[in-house]
Amino acid sequence: MKERLTDGLYAFGWAAVKLLPERVAQALFRRIADRVWRGRGKGVLQLEANLRRVHPEADEARLRELSRAGMRSYLRYWMESFRLPTWSAERIADAMTLKGIEQLNAAMASGRGAVMALPHMGNWDLAGAWIASAGGYPFTTVAERLKPESLFDRFVAYREGLGMEVLALTGSDVSVVGTLARRLRHGGMVCLLGDRDLSEAGTPVDFFGEPTRMPAGPAALALRTGAALFPVTLWYDGPVMRAEIHPEILPPAGGDRREQGAAMVQALADVWAQGIREHAEDWHMLQKLWLSDLTNDRGTAA
């Protein structure tokens, strides 16, 4: 019943929110964000715990300001996502500015292909729609399989409608890694969210001075195929979103492939940390991320 309710709420969002005047939708989602923030639920408290790592110098008042802005940013992501299917190509092009695209153009023109690695910042769906339409680079990504299946199908249809090829992370007879590698070897583009490990088998990294794990996939694909690996950061700036493609992460000269991959994942984490520190309110991390939090959960369960 809970799964059916969740599916119904998302279906209602995609059906109804796009019909509202934009200013009404913006005001409604800000109001929802503020109400959720005042409720001090688990997500808000975890967001503040995460922001405390990003800005350890901040006092409690500043953390509350950041978390309120963070919830508004997060609900803006959902408001835009529910409305994106109705946006024209011109509207999508005007909604985002991208710095560093010349690096991507060079990698794609050379036939190497590119892996774009993003944290959960800003609106990654809008960034994908922009790169597929205004940028002219349709790409492949992966999606966590959700329950119920109808909800997963809604997200796949939504993202494919924005110009993405979407592969299910699990539950498919097709090798996801193999398919991504083939796309890259043919000069294509792969975009992956990379700041949260869902497998519990990720690469150890230091992130804001504490240990955690991040997915090895973006670096491993770049090493396996020779594609360029670019970290990307996103943030809101008034009515538009801004994004930056940072310089390519190159494999270190020494070490075996596993050591090279680990160094590249750490390099991604370092770039993201700088971007998140500068735009902390647009980092939508409402889940536990650091090993100390996750270890405490396992200890409590035991």
Side-chain angles (χ1 to χ4, degrees):
M1 185 177 295
K2 183 178 179 181
E3 291 176 359
R4 290 198 298 271
L5 177 61
T6 301
D7 183 37
L9 287 172
Y10 279 105
F12 176 78
W14 271 303
V17 175
K18 64 186 179 184
L19 301 178
L20 296 173
E22 185 155 353
R23 289 186 179 181
V24 173
Q26 291 170 347
L28 173 63
F29 276 72
R30 278 197 304 271
R31 187 172 300 175
I32 294 171
D34 289 348
R35 182 164 185 171
V36 172
W37 176 77
R38 286 194 298 268
R40 308 290 290 160
K42 290 174 62 177
V44 173
L45 294 177
Q46 187 58 54
L47 175 62
E48 289 184 2
N50 293 339
L51 291 171
R52 191 171 285 110
R53 270 78 169 230
V54 176
H55 285 292
E57 78 289 351
D59 60 18
E60 288 303 309
R62 175 59 179 153
L63 283 172
R64 292 294 303 277
E65 288 178 9
L66 279 175
S67 68
R68 183 177 188 178
M71 290 307 300
R72 286 185 170 187
S73 175
Y74 183 51
L75 266 294
R76 175 176 172 176
Y77 160 79
W78 281 112
M79 185 274 294
E80 290 177 346
S81 295
F82 288 138
R83 297 173 68 86
L84 261 175
T86 67
W87 286 12
S88 66
E90 293 76 16
R91 173 68 190 278
I92 291 172
D94 292 341
M96 192 183 91
T97 61
L98 179 59
K99 178 182 177 182
I101 194 171
E102 67 282 352
Q103 304 169 88
L104 174 61
N105 291 337
M108 298 299 287
S110 72
R112 293 176 62 197
V115 179
M116 313 295 284
L118 301 81
H120 287 79
M121 291 184 76
N123 188 335
W124 46 94
D125 288 330
L126 172 56
W130 193 98
I131 210 72
S133 59
Y137 296 119
F139 62 89
T140 305
T141 188
V142 299
E144 180 185 2
R145 190 172 289 279
L146 305 172
K147 292 183 179 181
E149 191 73 17
S150 56
L151 178 58
F152 174 73
D153 291 341
R154 289 185 196 281
F155 271 98
V156 170
Y158 158 63
R159 288 179 172 135
E160 287 182 342
L162 299 178
M164 315 174 196
E165 178 190 20
V166 183
L167 306 177
L169 186 61
T170 58
S172 173
D173 295 333
V174 178
S175 167
V176 174
V177 174
T179 301
L180 295 175
R182 283 193 297 275
R183 299 292 186 269
L184 292 168
R185 289 193 179 107
H186 285 88
M189 180 189 297
V190 168
C191 295
L192 299 171
L193 291 166
D195 58 339
R196 183 172 172 234
D197 177 41
L198 298 175
S199 68
E200 297 187 2
T203 298
V205 296
D206 179 273
F207 198 50
F208 292 103
E210 284 193 48
T212 187
R213 296 189 186 94
M214 291 185 177
L221 282 167
L223 284 169
R224 179 174 174 176
T225 65
L229 175 61
F230 293 113
V232 181
T233 52
L234 313 165
W235 65 96
Y236 286 120
D237 184 9
V240 301
M241 188 175 74
R242 301 195 185 279
E244 181 173 359
I245 300 175
H246 297 268
E248 179 183 352
I249 302 294
L250 298 171
D256 58 24
R257 181 167 289 189
R258 183 176 180 180
E259 292 169 333
Q260 289 178 321
M264 294 168 76
V265 175
Q266 182 63 63
L268 286 173
D270 292 341
V271 174
W272 292 334
Q274 182 60 37
I276 291 167
R277 189 176 289 111
E278 293 173 358
H279 306 285
E281 67 276 12
D282 292 318
W283 186 44
H284 304 153
M285 187 57 65
L286 280 68
Q287 300 82 17
K288 295 184 178 182
L289 179 69
W290 279 273
L291 296 186
S292 58
D293 289 347
L294 297 168
T295 302
N296 288 340
D297 270 1
R298 287 194 291 270
T300 300

